[in-house]
Amino acid sequence: MQRNRRTRRTESLLRLFTETDVPVRSLVPAYFVVEGSRVRRELPEGSGLWQLSIDELQEECKRARDGGAEAVMLFGVPDQKGIEHATRRDSLACNAVRALEGTGLVRMADVCLCSYTEDGHCGVWHDGHHGRPGSVDNDSSVALLAQVAAGLADAGAEIVCPSDMMDGRIAAIRAALDHEGLGDTLVMSYAAKMASAMYGPFRHAASSAPTHGDRRGYQMNPANGREAMRETATDIEEGADLIMVKPALTNLDLIAATRARWNVPIVAYQVSGEYAMIHEAARAGRIDRARAARETLVSIRRAGADLVVSYFAPEFWAGGPRAA
Ligand code: PBG
Ligand code: ZN
């Protein structure tokens, strides 16, 4: 008889035969940069999402670095809406990137327009003509996104992370970076990004909820795995260095399929709603928060993710996931 339980007999054996780890260096915290100073607020409360002014961000990043973090993901959330603020070289996001120079952390900067547009869409909305429905205009949005990416890279971001899901943006961003002599900057493409129900808390923290319509005209249908492979193939051809899959837990199959087909580093995003499901279920006394956090993270790694953006990350430099 094959006795598979032999390796589970003692704590030491269990540890010895553990196949997958979640090293601190694989965890990437995400922060929402806001204007002002001494601003440090969790929004919504209990969401695990933190809005920080640049001074607080610097302190938070120092703690992260001391705790073993290697990278940080940054979202700019300016007070003032308006696309003209997105492309400015002294935008809040660019200033935050500059302020983290010399911290030793790799700066991953989000590239999108949804925190800047009046209507919260990830690109520029065009009303439909002749009774056709309106939509986000692809090519004018891509031109703006390429400018945003170049600005962030010029400010010092080692990795720019387009999360908008427009077509052709990776090629346009790559060209803009090369044009400015920023060819060393990595591009992390949100290639398989689903139009998910699990982005709710994020849209509060990033002030990016669409005021009309939804994102299904540009983000992917969660039903479509083959289409996700097509998106990924396109983005790799266009020059993406890293591929993002998002949300993580509902797309473990895509992480595994991407890992099997391509040799690019894979990043998974354990999104705000995934954090909320665990945190709130634990608060209701239904599950063990720390164990659920570890189990989901190790599963995402086991599926094939090299890095995981997670709101649990900061807890790992404070001794591991909290019980409550
Ligand atoms: C917007 C963006 C979203 C997230 C990352 N970038 C929200 C959305 O697409 O509506 C979600 C991340 C999270 O929920 O934690 N470009
Ligand atoms: Zn967006």
Side-chain angles (χ1 to χ4, degrees), residues 30-33 40-43 47-52 60 205 311 314:
Y31 294 113
F32 301 84
V33 187
R40 179 182 176 79
R41 56 172 173 256
E42 195 181 28
L43 189 81
S47 66
L49 282 69
W50 290 86
Q51 288 191 338
L52 306 173
E60 183 67 29
Y311 303 105

Side-chain angles (χ1 to χ4, degrees), residues 112 114 163 193 199 202-203 215 219 246 271-272 311:
C112 202
C114 53
S163 62
K193 175 174 177 179
Y199 303 152
F202 174 99
R203 291 178 186 174
R215 303 211 201 287
Q219 297 179 354
K246 169 184 178 195
V271 301
S272 57
Y311 303 105

